Structures are given as C-alpha cells and as structure tokens.
Amino acid sequence: MESVLQHIEDNVDRSLETLFTLVRQPSVSAQRLGFDRAPHLVAEIFTEHGFDTQILEAPNDGLPSVYGYVPADNEAFHRAQNLAGIDNPSDDPPTLMFYVHYDVQPTDPIELWETDPFEPTRKDDRLYGRGMSDDKGNIAARLAVINAFRDEWGGLPCNIKIFAEGEEESGSPNLPGLILEHADKLGADACIWEGGGRNAQNRPLIYLGLKGVLAVELSVALLKGDAHSSYATVLPSAAWTLINALNSIKDPSDDRILIDGFYDDIRDSTPEEDRALANLPDDSDEWRDTFGNASFVAGLGSEDLPRKHLFMPTANVAGLDAGYQGQGMKTVLPAKATAKMDFRLVPDMRPDDIFAKFRRHLDRNGFENVDLDLISGVHPFRTDMSSKWARMAIETSEETYGKQAVIYPTMAGSGPMYDFGGVLGIPITSAGIDHPTHKIHAPNENITVDDFVLGAKNIARLVQRFAAEWRS
Amino acid sequence: MESVLQHIEDNVDRSLETLFTLVRQPSVSAQRLGFDRAPHLVAEIFTEHGFDTQILEAPNDGLPSVYGYVPADNEAFHRAQNLAGIDNPSDDPPTLMFYVHYDVQPTDPIELWETDPFEPTRKDDRLYGRGMSDDKGNIAARLAVINAFRDEWGGLPCNIKIFAEGEEESGSPNLPGLILEHADKLGADACIWEGGGRNAQNRPLIYLGLKGVLAVELSVALLKGDAHSSYATVLPSAAWTLINALNSIKDPSDDRILIDGFYDDIRDSTPEEDRALANLPDDSDEWRDTFGNASFVAGLGSEDLPRKHLFMPTANVAGLDAGYQGQGMKTVLPAKATAKMDFRLVPDMRPDDIFAKFRRHLDRNGFENVDLDLISGVHPFRTDMSSKWARMAIETSEETYGKQAVIYPTMAGSGPMYDFGGVLGIPITSAGIDHPTHKIHAPNENITVDDFVLGAKNIARLVQRFAAEWRS
C-alpha cells in the first residue's frame, strides 16, 4: 500500500492541476452557468483517468450528471486480499460507488471574494476558488487515488463507479428520476459519499447520514404594479402579507416550527447514535469564532447544540425580496414580495409531506393569497452505525489520521444520500478532504494541500480494505 | 387675459421642448444620478426665462436647489388690477412663490418601462419619460406662463419666486436647513405648490395639505458572513429577527399600528374638512382598475376609504432585502437583513417623535439588535380651507376647467409644505398638470398635451387673480 500512498504525495501537483481545470470551469447549477461545457469537461477528465464514461441527461430539462466505470484488475484485486491476509480469497471483486457532484454554489456576494472565484489562486498554504473544496476538490482527490492504483498496481483492486451529479447544489431535483432510469448500472456494494475529512481538532470526521431538504419559494402579488406608498392607507401590501405569513411559521421564543404535524414523522435516535452524539466535541466556540454570533438561537446552551444541530429539522429564510433595495429611499408600495425558504429534514420526514403541511398551514392561517412553489425536495438518510461498511470507514480513518474518529450519525447538511442509500439500498459512508475552515458555499472557498493529500490517502486505504475484506 | 392663454396654446411645442430637455437630463436624487449637470441645466433654463437665478447648495453634502426671482412689471401689475376692476389699485405688487422640484424617482423596475425613461417619447396623445409629470412637467408649465406674460403683457403682474428643490423625492432631508439659511429671500405672500390638476372625472383638483413622512431603514446583522443554511438549527437568523420585528409593528386584522403613542398627536379634522371629505368622489373603482387589487386593506369598504386615505397615517414596507434572490435556490443563512419603511404622518405628528417611539417599540419588544436609521423626515401641513388663498385657487380652477372643483384638505402623499407653510408661514394651494393616469413614481410615467396646456392656463389665471386681488 505504501507505494500507492507515496504516489499520491509525489503526484500532488498533477492532481491539483486537474482540480484547477475543474475550478476554472464555472458550473453554477442555480444559475445554469457553464453547463454548455462543464459536463463534457468532467467526462473528458474521467475518460483520461481510465473510466468508461457517459453523460446522463436529466429529465425535465435538468442539468446532466456524469457517470464512469472502471472494472477491477484481477491482479490488483488479489494483491489487496493478500495484503489483508484473507484466508480464502474471492474471485468476484466487489463494486464501490463514488458519489460526487461537479456543480457549485453561486458566487454571490461576489464583492466579498478576495480573488476571482473561477481562477484558482494560491495564497500561503491555501488554494482559493469556488468548488475548490465542495466538491471539485473531492472529485480530484478520488482521481488521484485512481491514478495511484493504476500506476503502482497496474489497475484497481475493486470495480469502481463514479457518479458526478450536476444539480446537487440546487437540491438534486432530478436525481430520483435519473436514478430510477439508470438503476441497472448504478448498483454497488457500498458507496463513499462526497466530503468528510477532518474536524477543527484535525481528528478524522466520518458521517453516515445527511438531512433532507425542502426548498420552496413563497410569493405574494396583490397589485398589478408597484404603487406610490401614499396608497398604503388603503391598498393591500404584498410585503406585509409575506411578513405576516412568514411570522406565523415559527415561535421565536423556542425556535419551534408551528406548522401542524411538522414533527410527526421524526424517528427516535438509537442508543448508539445517542452515544456518538455525546462523544462529539463541543463546537460552540469554533462556531462563535467562525460566525461571530453573540448567542445561539433561542438562547440554547452548548450542551443542547449537538442534538438540535443534527437531529432536528429547520425552517430557514434564505432570501427576502420586495420593493426598493438601493441607496436612499423610494417610497413605493411593492406589488410583489417573495421569500426563499429551506427546511432541513430528518428521518423519516418526507419533503412532499412537509410541503403539503406547509400549504395547509398557510391556508388555515388566512394566507391563501401566498403562492407556495416547490423548488426541490430531498429525503433524509442515515446508514446504520453498526454496519460493516461504517466500521471499515471508521477504522481506516483512524489509521490514516492517527487519531480517534469523530462519528456523526448524520451531518446537518443535506444531499441525495437517500436516492442511493434508500432507493438502491447501498450502505454509505463519507471520506474526503474537508475541513471546517474551507468556507464552503461562502466567499473565499478554499482548501489546504495537506487536507487534499490526507483525504486522498484515506480514500486509497479504504478502497484497498473494501476490495480485500468485503467478500470475506 | 385671452392673449396670455392663447400664447400658452400657440407655443406649446416650445414649452414641451423645454420639458423634454429637462427629462433628458437624469436627476435621481436617491441615487445622486445626474447632479453634476442637472442643477446647472435648471438654472440655465430659469435664466433664459428671465429669472435672476441662484443655485443654493444644501447642507450635509446634500443636493442643491435652484432659486429664481423675477420682479413684477408695474404696467402688467396695473393691467391685472384693471382687468379685475379693482377700485383703489395698489402700487405694491404681491409676491408669489412656485414650489417645484427638479429631482425624480429612480427608474426601477427598469424592465417594465416600454421606452427609455430619459428619452422623451410620444405615443398617441401621451408623452413618456421619468419626471414628465412629476415634477418637470409642472416646472415647464410654470415657465410657459412666465413666457406668456412676458411676451403678451411685457412682464409679470406680480413678483414671482421659483424654488426648485433637488431632494424632494428623497424626503427633502436638507430642506429645513436650507430654508432657515435663506429665509430672508424665500418669503412670499402665497405659494403655488407643485401638482394638482384634474381628477379621473376631469374635474379640477385642488389640494391644500400634504402628509409628512418618516423614512427609515431597519437592519439586522447577527453573523460575520452568510452561513450554510444547515446551521439554521443553531445560529441566529437576521432574516427571522427582521420578520418578527416587522410583524410586531402592525395588526393585520384592522391595519392598526401598534407602536405605543403612534396616534397620540393626530389633530381632529375640522367640520369644513369633513364636508370636503364627504364631497369627494368615490375613487375605489378607479383604484381597483389602476392597481388590480381584489380588496382593500383590512377589508375596508368604499365608504371608509377617503377618511382612512387622507386623515390616517401609514406604516409601509417599501423594501425587503436578505440573502439570495436569484434564480433557483441558494441554501444560505443570511448574515444580514434590511427593510426600508416609510410612515406617512398627519398633523400634528412629528417625524422625530415617531422615530423615537419606533425605537422604543423595538427595544420594548426584544428587538434591541435591530438597527434603526432615519433616512428622512418631513412634517405634515394643511392650509386653512377657509383662507382667501384657498378660495382664490378653488374659484380659478372652476373657471379654467368649467367644472366643480374637488377639494382635498390634504393629499395622501407627502412633501415639504410644512417648511414653507409652517416655518415661513405662507398659505399654500396646488395648481398643476396632474392626472391619475400619469403613473408618477412608476414605470411609464407620462402626461397628455391637454393636461399640460390646461394646467398652464389655470396657473396663468391664478397668477393674474393673485396679482390683482391680493392687496384689495
């Protein structure tokens, strides 16, 4: 294995060049920016790395995903089993899926970027650019592993599939349909999810689940056009209606969401998950440093934060838009007001069900005139903490990073894990290059070379161990 | 008088050319757009019309106003008195002030304009452009009157002052200071305010008062920067705080403003004002046509609308701004959220007092973390309906338009009448070119040539009558 790990280290500049090529190509799914070229570039890069590659068009005029497959090399497969001292080696190499995404978040507020988000820039030990970490860095780290096995072992020790989604940052609206359509080729024994890596204390970080998310837009239009604000005496106001409707959603005193039945389908955490939760480091000081918040929501103390953060849903206002927002004043009564909201969901909440309950809430509270549009919905998913795949990932990470792993039964973020884990029935763990300082989704997204190399090495070890032990 | 009125009609193209020159020059005070040139252009045009002209710089780096003065011509003064059959003519011509403003509203939403807002465009019988009505059209109508008297009578029948403000559309933040500084030259016996003209039934419309307005910005910033929305579990939200704060301001069921003491200083209407109110036409159908609203605020019936519209204050949300407002979705927890609000005020509410009460309201309701900035404040003002000047304006308008005047004790809109009427003690009436179809402050602002000519003729008659009768 040492030669593979050494190869990753020795060829890091070549791997980063691939990463930079990916970052230079915009691929902002929310704005459909760069997709004339981005999927083709990703496919070309996969092909260069030995994948049999295919661009999978999404339904509903969605943005395509890129799929690639490399079969195991038999010698490499046996080498992995020998290395692990497997008694009765198998002739049937197992299949590992890499789930990644090549789309990125929008760059705004663009004025807070210190460098061009689409021109990779090195400053001291950090590499800056949109997608440098999330998720193009994770893609490039996996490709570094592929290169290393091919150059050092003559091929891969297991079958490897890679699925690079094009709409993850837009809530994966078309992934369920796309997976159903291609279910025949997307099966696998296990899956390494995008991300994971190290936490703020540089301990390896494993996550086994993701929240779901329901993204919606509320819009109110009560007038043909904007009116002079002197008519606020008599004309109905879209802005006030939106404010009143939003205000009805949550109790600010305890942050409880007031939509009827909102919490009904939340699954109790298992004792094992509770233990993992109790072992998590206290992130509250780090959060305070990063975000500069004076206090936490509804006055929560640090002892309450992990359970709230990981096992509870949210109702977030991601955007508000009405009337005049420029310099000075325009005395206008806006014809229209809109809000973008996202609800993070935990098992077994379902986005369609929450959407219906939200609509009912608005209607029952007199807000029939508030339009509610579903932007996207993703189901929550968690892999069983006691599964073979979870244990393998945890042990491997402790070997790579030399420290006790920090295990998250779920992350607070979302992704379409359910479509692979729930629909296709594949156990999923994380392994990646992440670190809390990477500013993902924010201006000045970045990585360090260290995070990249360590993440790639950890994935290489996990690939080897999976190849060797999955059938045993 | 007929020659003066005929002159206005015969020279309308020349007057409109002056108007177009003014419209072509942007002068958006909220954005400080065009002010390198606009005050100089206005001063040049005033000078061309015989005014002794002066640009008055505003305090606090505000935008300048333009002041002009033409003394009465003695022969013209006597001609006016003769014409009115005054028994013992005076040798001391009275002084009339024209209050107008040369700044305009911003052009957004620019995409709803069918023509370039700064390129005057004629379509059928309408002339389109920003400021075509409010207030450059009113300026040009007054200049048409000046031209007519000078060409036909050899001079003006009374002293005329014109004061063209540069910040009216931004709430006249520096006008009180500027008026105090130049109080020696701004005195007058009476004042014709900008605007007035005809109502939807083409009856002459007179208004004798304007509401005040307090414009503020609320802003909430709880984080150093935007966070990934998965942190909505634990991090405080600027957007939610703003929504909760705004929601506390008004009861949507009856539109009552909940700020403690908000209504305390409202002066009761006089019986004469109540009679005028009862005689106002029912505008509710016209409003419904113009604005497309299905109902009125808090379910008000048409019988309740005039009193609410003219004699009650407002709390309007003119703008909301937070987080992501683009296409698709960005799952972000915004660091900052802002709202622009304007409160229309009626006598004897005072903007500073309402601002202080609003700040107290926020503090008492747990919103100490909502910043409140005063953008501008204007006092309300009404001229006594039974005054000589009011009667003159009403009678003249009925003569010009041949229909019974519609008298508004106050308009629902605002302007710095108080600074002239309250501070300098000048009685004020309106006379202008307005019509409800002009879309002032909105996209596709326009006038008709008819409105322009009739408005100018009415002002000419009022000037003649003021000159003749004020001293008698």
Side-chain angles (χ1 to χ4, degrees):
Chain A
M1 233 356 243
E2 280 314 309
S3 65
V4 169
L5 303 180
Q6 192 60 45
H7 183 282
I8 289 169
E9 206 159 313
D10 293 346
N11 291 274
V12 65
D13 285 343
R14 178 179 151 205
S15 300
L16 291 177
E17 213 30 73
T18 302
L19 170 53
F20 292 172
T21 303
L22 287 166
V23 170
R24 272 189 201 103
Q25 172 59 49
S27 52
V28 183
S29 54
Q31 299 158 345
R32 301 182 76 93
L33 178 69
F35 286 82
D36 51 336
R37 173 74 187 127
H40 304 285
L41 176 69
V42 172
E44 286 161 20
I45 288 173
F46 286 180
T47 303
E48 282 164 22
H49 285 77
F51 284 95
D52 185 10
T53 304
Q54 201 180 341
I55 291 177
L56 306 181
E57 296 299 335
N60 309 315
D61 196 31
L63 299 166
S65 295
V66 184
Y67 168 73
Y69 177 66
V70 197
D73 174 82
N74 268 332
E75 277 183 45
F77 177 43
H78 286 293
R79 185 165 171 177
Q81 292 181 92
N82 286 342
L83 205 63
I86 301 298
D87 287 340
N88 39 5
S90 159
D91 284 324
D92 178 20
T95 302
L96 185 62
M97 168 68 83
F98 292 148
Y99 168 82
V100 286
H101 60 88
Y102 71 93
D103 67 326
V104 295
Q105 282 279 322
T107 55
D108 67 26
I110 186 73
E111 66 277 12
L112 296 185
W113 281 83
E114 289 168 15
T115 64
D116 180 344
F118 298 119
E119 184 48 55
T121 308
R122 184 189 290 253
K123 290 205 289 187
D124 303 326
D125 63 334
R126 290 197 183 260
L127 312 171
Y128 292 85
R130 174 55 90 219
M132 192 65 82
S133 177
D134 179 19
D135 195 32
K136 291 172 176 177
N138 277 303
I139 294 176
R142 281 150 182 77
L143 296 176
V145 172
I146 302 289
N147 274 343
F149 276 113
R150 291 174 76 213
D151 288 355
E152 297 297 329
W153 284 21
L156 304 185
C158 61
N159 305 312
I160 289 190
K161 296 177 175 180
I162 189 164
F163 184 92
E165 197 194 348
E167 298 184 310
E168 196 270 350
E169 298 294 9
S170 296
S172 303
N174 299 299
L175 189 66
L178 203 149
I179 285 188
L180 285 180
E181 190 184 339
H182 298 284
D184 56 326
K185 65 166 76 77
L186 296 179
D189 296 294
C191 174
I192 298 181
W193 205 249
E194 57 143 342
R198 292 192 288 181
N199 77 351
Q201 291 75 40
N202 288 331
R203 288 170 59 187
L205 185 159
I206 305 273
Y207 64 88
L208 299 167
L210 287 175
K211 290 188 181 178
V213 65
L214 166 66
V216 299
E217 180 164 302
L218 292 85
S219 59
V220 188
L222 302 179
L223 305 177
K224 270 186 207 167
D226 289 353
H228 188 263
S229 79
S230 59
Y231 286 100
T233 45
V234 293
L235 293 180
S237 159
W240 277 121
T241 303
L242 181 71
I243 289 160
N244 299 149
L246 289 170
N247 191 75
S248 76
I249 294 169
K250 208 158 77 161
D251 181 343
S253 71
D254 60 2
D255 204 47
R256 194 168 168 85
I257 295 151
L258 303 173
I259 295 169
D260 223 30
F262 188 81
Y263 296 95
D264 282 0
D265 293 322
I266 298 181
R267 189 204 298 169
D268 285 341
S269 54
T270 66
E272 203 162 8
E273 288 175 336
D274 289 342
R275 273 193 300 277
L277 205 67
N279 283 325
L280 290 178
D282 179 356
D283 287 332
S284 58
D285 285 342
E286 181 208 320
W287 288 342
R288 253 189 265 261
D289 279 355
T290 306
F291 298 113
N293 53 305
S295 61
F296 290 99
V297 76
L300 284 185
S302 62
E303 68 285 2
D304 308 314
L305 294 175
R307 179 167 299 273
K308 177 79 159 62
H309 190 45
L310 299 182
F311 290 161
M312 293 301 281
T314 67
N316 177 58
V317 175
L320 286 175
D321 183 6
Y324 185 66
Q325 302 169 20
Q327 233 189 332
M329 189 67 193
K330 188 178 178 195
T331 46
V332 71
L333 169 55
K336 197 177 169 189
T338 60
K340 290 187 195 276
M341 286 191 69
D342 63 275
F343 296 87
R344 302 277 166 179
L345 309 178
V346 298
D348 293 313
M349 299 171 89
R350 287 160 293 125
D352 286 357
D353 176 63
I354 296 298
F355 182 79
K357 285 172 173 165
F358 190 14
R359 178 71 265 172
R360 258 199 310 278
H361 169 89
L362 291 173
D363 293 344
R364 282 181 188 165
N365 287 274
F367 300 110
E368 298 91 347
N369 55 2
V370 175
D371 283 333
L372 185 66
D373 288 315
L374 194 147
I375 299 176
S376 59
V378 171
H379 287 253
F381 179 75
R382 289 185 208 151
T383 290
D384 183 354
M385 274 190 66
S386 57
S387 66
K388 180 175 182 174
W389 183 229
R391 286 203 323 275
M392 252 184 215
I394 293 163
E395 290 165 17
T396 302
S397 74
E398 293 181 337
E399 197 180 342
T400 303
Y401 294 95
K403 295 187 179 187
Q404 199 196 350
V406 179
I407 305 153
Y408 286 82
T410 178
M411 294 301 274
S414 305
M417 257 192 189
Y418 175 86
D419 299 300
F420 291 87
V423 176
L424 298 177
I426 310 173
I428 302 177
T429 185
S430 69
I433 65 161
D434 294 357
H435 193 271
T437 55
H438 286 183
K439 301 191 175 174
I440 66 168
H441 289 211
N444 306 311
E445 182 175 349
N446 68 85
I447 60 168
T448 64
V449 178
D450 251 20
D451 287 320
F452 184 86
V453 169
L454 276 165
K457 284 183 176 176
N458 187 48
I459 292 165
R461 282 186 206 270
L462 187 53
V463 165
Q464 185 271 331
R465 193 159 166 196
F466 168 77
E469 297 180 25
W470 191 257
R471 300 287 189 219
S472 73
Chain B
M1 230 3 241
E2 280 314 309
S3 66
V4 170
L5 302 180
Q6 192 60 45
H7 182 283
I8 288 169
E9 206 160 313
D10 293 346
N11 291 276
V12 65
D13 287 342
R14 177 180 152 205
S15 299
L16 292 177
E17 211 34 70
T18 302
L19 170 55
F20 291 173
T21 303
L22 286 167
V23 169
R24 274 190 199 103
Q25 172 59 49
S27 52
V28 183
S29 53
Q31 299 158 346
R32 300 183 75 92
L33 179 69
F35 285 82
D36 50 336
R37 173 75 186 124
H40 303 284
L41 176 68
V42 172
E44 286 161 21
I45 289 173
F46 285 0
T47 302
E48 282 165 21
H49 285 76
F51 283 95
D52 184 10
T53 304
Q54 199 180 342
I55 291 178
L56 306 181
E57 296 298 336
N60 309 315
D61 196 32
L63 298 166
S65 294
V66 184
Y67 168 73
Y69 177 65
V70 196
D73 173 83
N74 269 333
E75 277 183 43
F77 177 42
H78 287 292
R79 184 166 174 177
Q81 293 181 93
N82 287 342
L83 205 64
I86 303 297
D87 287 339
N88 39 3
S90 158
D91 285 323
D92 176 22
T95 302
L96 184 62
M97 168 69 82
F98 291 148
Y99 169 83
V100 287
H101 60 88
Y102 71 93
D103 66 326
V104 296
Q105 282 279 322
T107 56
D108 66 31
I110 185 73
E111 67 275 12
L112 296 186
W113 280 84
E114 289 169 14
T115 63
D116 180 343
F118 298 118
E119 184 48 54
T121 308
R122 185 189 289 254
K123 290 205 291 188
D124 304 326
D125 63 336
R126 288 196 185 261
L127 312 171
Y128 291 85
R130 174 55 90 219
M132 192 64 84
S133 178
D134 179 18
D135 194 32
K136 291 172 175 176
N138 277 304
I139 294 176
R142 281 149 182 78
L143 296 177
V145 172
I146 302 289
N147 274 343
F149 276 111
R150 290 175 78 211
D151 289 354
E152 298 297 329
W153 283 20
L156 305 185
C158 59
N159 305 312
I160 289 191
K161 296 178 176 180
I162 189 163
F163 184 92
E165 196 194 346
E167 299 184 310
E168 196 270 350
E169 298 294 9
S170 295
S172 304
N174 299 300
L175 189 64
L178 203 147
I179 284 188
L180 286 182
E181 191 183 337
H182 299 284
D184 56 325
K185 65 168 74 80
L186 297 178
D189 296 294
C191 173
I192 298 182
W193 206 249
E194 57 145 341
R198 293 192 288 182
N199 77 350
Q201 290 76 40
N202 288 331
R203 286 170 60 190
L205 185 156
I206 303 273
Y207 63 90
L208 299 168
L210 286 175
K211 289 188 182 178
V213 64
L214 166 67
V216 298
E217 180 165 302
L218 292 84
S219 60
V220 189
L222 302 179
L223 305 177
K224 271 186 208 168
D226 288 355
H228 188 263
S229 79
S230 59
Y231 286 100
T233 46
V234 292
L235 292 180
S237 159
W240 277 121
T241 302
L242 181 70
I243 289 159
N244 299 148
L246 290 170
N247 193 76
S248 76
I249 295 170
K250 208 158 77 161
D251 181 344
S253 72
D254 59 3
D255 204 44
R256 193 167 170 83
I257 295 151
L258 303 173
I259 294 170
D260 223 30
F262 188 80
Y263 296 94
D264 282 359
D265 293 323
I266 298 181
R267 189 203 301 171
D268 284 342
S269 54
T270 66
E272 202 162 9
E273 288 174 337
D274 289 343
R275 273 194 300 277
L277 205 68
N279 282 327
L280 291 178
D282 179 356
D283 287 331
S284 58
D285 285 343
E286 181 209 321
W287 289 343
R288 252 189 267 262
D289 280 356
T290 306
F291 298 113
N293 53 306
S295 61
F296 290 98
V297 76
L300 284 185
S302 61
E303 67 286 3
D304 308 314
L305 293 177
R307 181 167 296 275
K308 176 79 160 62
H309 190 44
L310 299 183
F311 291 161
M312 292 300 281
T314 68
N316 176 59
V317 175
L320 285 175
D321 182 6
Y324 186 67
Q325 303 171 18
Q327 231 189 335
M329 189 68 191
K330 187 178 179 197
T331 47
V332 72
L333 169 55
K336 196 177 170 189
T338 60
K340 289 185 197 278
M341 287 193 69
D342 63 272
F343 295 87
R344 301 279 166 181
L345 309 179
V346 299
D348 294 312
M349 299 171 88
R350 287 159 294 125
D352 287 357
D353 176 64
I354 296 299
F355 183 79
K357 285 171 174 167
F358 190 13
R359 177 70 267 173
R360 260 200 305 280
H361 170 89
L362 292 172
D363 293 343
R364 281 181 189 164
N365 286 275
F367 300 110
E368 297 90 347
N369 55 2
V370 175
D371 283 333
L372 184 67
D373 288 313
L374 193 147
I375 299 176
S376 59
V378 171
H379 287 254
F381 179 76
R382 288 185 209 152
T383 289
D384 182 356
M385 275 189 67
S386 58
S387 65
K388 179 174 182 177
W389 183 228
R391 287 202 324 275
M392 255 184 210
I394 292 163
E395 288 164 20
T396 302
S397 74
E398 292 180 339
E399 197 181 343
T400 304
Y401 294 96
K403 294 189 180 186
Q404 198 197 351
V406 179
I407 304 153
Y408 286 82
T410 178
M411 294 300 274
S414 305
M417 255 193 192
Y418 175 84
D419 298 299
F420 292 87
V423 176
L424 298 178
I426 310 173
I428 302 176
T429 184
S430 69
I433 65 162
D434 295 357
H435 192 271
T437 55
H438 286 182
K439 301 193 175 172
I440 66 166
H441 290 211
N444 306 312
E445 181 175 349
N446 67 84
I447 60 169
T448 64
V449 178
D450 252 18
D451 288 318
F452 183 87
V453 169
L454 277 165
K457 284 184 176 175
N458 187 49
I459 291 165
R461 282 187 205 269
L462 187 53
V463 165
Q464 186 271 332
R465 193 160 166 195
F466 167 77
E469 297 180 26
W470 191 256
R471 300 286 188 220
S472 73

